[in-house]
Amino acid sequence: MIGMPTKKGTPIVLLKENGTRIDGRKPDEIRPLKISVGVLRNADGSAFIELGRNKIIVAVYGPREVHPRHLALPDRAIIRCRYHMAPFSVPERKSPAPSRREIELSKVIREALAPAIFLEKFPRTTIDIFIEVLQADGSTRVASITAASVALADAGIPMKDLVAAVAVGKVDSQLILDLNHYEDQYGEGDMPIAMMPSLGEITLLQADGIFTPSEVRAALDMAKMGIEKIYNVQKEALRKKYSSLLFR
Amino acid sequence: MSAPEKIIPTVKKNTILLMLEKGERLDGRKLDEIRKIKIETDVIGNAEGSAIVHLGNTIVIAGVKLNIVTPYADTPNQGVQIVNAELIPLASPVFEPGPPGEDDVELSRVIDRALRSVKAIDLDKLVIIPGKKVWAVYIDIYALNHSGNLIDASMLASIAALLTAKKPKIELVNDQIKKLDEREKLPITDIPVTVTFAKIGDKLVVDPEYEEELIMDARLTFGITSNGNICALQKGLCGTFKPSLILEALEIARKVADEYRNYIKSFIQI
């Protein structure tokens, strides 16, 4: 499953003639996915996700008092979200200072999770979501959303649904599901999608690269399929923790 | 975090919602109708390219500056494209001074992606000495009056400024770069535009006015290339979309994109 290293400048084959991908997957296959719940003692909720070589840890604190106070809303909770990549998470060391990319991703991740949360149940409070990408291997924003949603549930925050997310990519004019680092870096497009699977509502949609209208349609279908699988892993991870508590 | 709560009177909000039910909007537009557009180019003599776009009462200025720089290590044979946007307090009482916030960053990155995905600026043609010297194209966007839909206005201003920008020709003498007085157009290969919708309840309105933005549940932006493909997507705010609504919006967006492009062509000789 580990991606092969490539020298800069050498062309790499993302899609082999037999239709398999650089890591041996089929076009519509997601990478091995593992989610662990409640991995941090101090946080109200937490989750650790491994998607392929991605390793991302998420902590949720709250609902808790807002500081500074003027940010608090009288009728609902606010959500604050920080997506951050550790300097050692990528091949070339990344500056620890938040980049423009991280600022944008913190915003879109927050907006992807917010629709699922009953914010009006917790006026004047904040729900803080902290995401640390420890190792990045493509599709980090969607893996972060998947994990953050589980961490929110672990914090006992009432939600309409979990939010599960996946990226659809494009290599050699073919759509692929759950793109890895190489497919992200050298592919033709990236369309991260997050959904509340039971409600069938999309909470995050972005894209770069070129997609035809019919590819957009196909990408939404493909994402839905991947998201169902991820949703099952999320539910299983939560069940695993809480079923053991039930009979204590 | 975002700016303090922006407030709209309940009466006005209800009016907008009631009118939407009948397929009408406050300013008399249809749901899929864009506002009148005016584009002025070459407004800043010191910039290599510039444009002021009026989209209804929204005004945005974009300037293009060119510099000779060392290319990025991972793209030694490509020019550099940098988009920056600032929502300055001059443009609206809801904008605050200070370093660019997440709204500014999101705006500039959406414009950047739309341009980059379709290779609107042919960066391969902006190499002077491979691996050593390339042109950097800086696109700086400033909101001047915020009356809704800054994304589409910014995209129009950016592409208008790029289409009219003039780059000095250069001469290489023993690897020394000499800028000539003679000027040429930038290598622009496509005219991408963005089409932004506000989702209010279950209705979609194109090119939202400021009041519509205040009550929208979600925002959806499509970057559309000259031949109708999608070169950027960006959902904003905390609302959600059914997949079918996105596909519906996409079809409208492709039509609206042509209207935007016709405006560009009516103001600029391409």
Side-chain angles (χ1 to χ4, degrees):
Chain A
M1 269 311 137
I2 290 164
M4 313 89 199
T6 166
K7 276 190 202 133
K8 266 183 199 142
T10 48
I12 63 166
V13 180
L14 292 176
L15 205 58
K16 293 184 201 117
E17 274 178 26
N18 62 5
T20 58
R21 292 154 68 176
I22 188 164
D23 52 13
R25 282 183 288 157
K26 293 196 280 289
D28 61 353
E29 191 179 339
I30 61 170
R31 288 170 287 181
L33 168 63
K34 199 178 147 204
I35 303 173
S36 319
V37 185
V39 290
L40 299 173
R41 197 172 269 269
N42 281 350
D44 296 308
S46 59
F48 180 60
I49 187 167
E50 292 164 275
L51 175 65
R53 293 178 69 244
N54 280 307
K55 290 181 199 289
I56 303 168
I57 191 159
V58 181
V60 169
Y61 286 84
R64 62 179 178 181
E65 208 175 326
V66 189
H67 293 289
R69 272 208 193 129
H70 68 86
L71 294 176
L73 296 179
D75 58 342
R76 60 182 188 274
I78 62 165
I79 307 177
R80 293 186 290 198
C81 177
R82 179 181 191 261
Y83 163 97
H84 183 252
M85 289 176 99
F88 47 76
S89 65
V90 280
E92 295 275 325
R93 180 179 184 268
K94 182 205 154 288
S95 157
S99 64
R100 286 157 63 92
R101 176 178 172 277
E102 288 168 300
I103 292 170
E104 187 203 346
L105 292 201
S106 298
K107 176 179 193 284
V108 296
I109 291 171
R110 186 183 78 231
E111 292 170 345
L113 294 166
I117 305 172
F118 287 101
L119 293 172
E120 64 281 5
K121 289 211 186 288
F122 306 99
R124 302 199 161 279
T125 67
T126 178
I127 296 167
D128 293 332
I129 303 165
F130 301 110
I131 300 164
E132 275 304 313
V133 178
L134 303 177
Q135 179 162 278
D137 184 24
S139 306
T140 58
R141 84 191 66 179
V142 287
S144 298
I145 291 169
T146 299
S149 165
V150 170
L152 284 163
D154 182 43
I157 293 167
M159 293 196 284
K160 294 166 197 158
D161 197 355
L162 289 168
V163 181
V166 76
V168 177
K170 191 173 159 185
V171 294
D172 295 341
S173 301
Q174 184 170 348
L175 293 181
I176 52 165
L177 190 61
D178 179 31
L179 59 176
N180 64 27
H181 171 73
Y182 295 105
E183 293 164 337
D184 182 28
Q185 201 82 354
Y186 305 103
E188 293 149 35
D190 175 10
M191 192 187 296
I193 300 172
M195 284 184 93
M196 294 190 279
S198 294
L199 301 174
E201 295 278 350
I202 290 176
T203 68
L204 172 129
L205 178 66
Q206 292 185 284
D208 59 46
I210 302 288
F211 292 89
T212 65
S214 58
E215 281 170 344
V216 173
R217 183 181 297 267
L220 290 174
D221 287 341
M222 195 183 230
K224 209 171 172 185
M225 191 198 76
I227 280 170
E228 282 300 329
K229 288 185 184 149
I230 292 165
Y231 190 39
N232 286 332
V233 178
Q234 285 178 310
K235 287 189 286 190
E236 197 44 51
L238 285 164
R239 258 189 225 116
K240 201 169 154 193
K241 178 177 173 189
Y242 288 97
S243 60
S244 62
L245 291 179
L246 272 179
F247 303 105
R248 227 175 240 173
Chain B
M1 284 306 295
S2 52
E5 259 329 69
K6 299 139 202 174
I7 293 161
I8 182 165
T10 314
V11 183
K12 198 164 204 179
K13 180 177 174 176
N14 289 341
T15 311
I16 298 177
L17 291 173
L18 278 172
M19 288 180 78
L20 278 181
E21 282 305 316
K22 290 188 280 180
E24 294 167 2
R25 294 166 78 173
L26 271 188
D27 57 7
R29 283 186 288 159
K30 296 195 211 74
L31 302 197
D32 61 352
E33 192 178 338
I34 55 175
R35 291 170 289 181
K36 290 255 176 325
I37 294 171
K38 202 173 97 195
I39 302 174
E40 299 164 71
T41 55
D42 300 304
V43 286
I44 305 296
N46 281 347
E48 279 83 353
S50 59
I52 291 182
V53 166
H54 297 248
L55 176 58
N57 289 324
T58 289
I59 311 173
V60 169
I61 185 168
V64 170
K65 292 295 292 176
L66 300 172
N67 258 352
I68 295 170
V69 300
T70 310
Y72 291 124
D74 54 344
T75 52
N77 295 317
Q78 272 185 9
V80 170
Q81 168 191 322
I82 292 174
V83 181
N84 178 58
E86 284 194 58
L87 307 176
I88 46 176
L90 170 146
S92 166
V94 299
F95 295 155
E96 291 179 79
E102 53 182 31
D103 292 331
D104 315 49
V105 171
E106 184 185 32
L107 172 61
S108 54
R109 285 178 58 86
V110 171
I111 306 294
D112 183 80
R113 282 201 286 271
L115 290 169
R116 202 178 289 277
S117 292
V118 66
K119 301 183 175 69
I121 307 172
D122 190 347
L123 298 176
D124 297 337
K125 293 214 174 108
L126 292 177
V127 179
I128 302 166
I129 305 169
K132 293 209 174 99
K133 290 291 168 199
V134 299
W135 284 106
V137 181
Y138 296 89
I139 302 155
D140 287 287
I141 301 162
Y142 283 83
L144 298 182
N145 194 66
H146 174 27
S147 190
N149 200 8
L150 286 170
I151 300 180
D152 293 0
S154 299
M155 185 76 232
L156 290 169
S158 303
I159 197 73
L162 286 168
L163 284 167
T164 51
K166 298 284 185 302
K167 171 170 79 73
K169 281 195 175 176
I170 45 168
E171 208 175 53
L172 278 180
V173 185
N174 303 328
D175 269 12
Q176 289 289 87
I177 299 168
K178 199 182 143 206
K179 285 188 190 172
L180 304 176
D181 288 338
E182 205 183 331
R183 290 175 174 253
E184 61 187 358
K185 283 184 173 178
L186 279 177
I188 304 299
T189 63
D190 200 292
I191 306 177
V193 294
T194 59
V195 178
T196 297
F197 295 87
K199 185 188 172 213
I200 304 171
D202 56 357
K203 294 275 189 298
L204 285 177
V205 297
V206 85
D207 178 26
E209 247 300 340
Y210 181 64
E211 277 101 355
E212 293 170 329
E213 288 191 347
L214 282 181
I215 64 163
M216 68 183 167
D217 301 298
R219 194 194 66 220
L220 185 60
T221 299
F222 294 88
I224 311 273
T225 67
S226 294
N227 52 22
N229 286 329
I230 287 80
C231 58
L233 275 177
Q234 183 86 352
K235 180 228 139 193
L237 306 189
C238 298
T240 62
F241 288 89
K242 288 256 189 262
S244 55
L245 191 61
I246 285 166
L247 297 172
E248 224 174 274
L250 170 58
E251 285 316 308
I252 303 169
R254 295 177 77 211
K255 283 192 209 109
V256 174
D258 287 336
E259 293 175 39
Y260 274 143
R261 238 184 311 269
N262 286 339
Y263 269 112
I264 297 173
K265 287 174 184 161
S266 71
F267 286 99
I268 300 168
Q269 297 293 326
I270 298 158

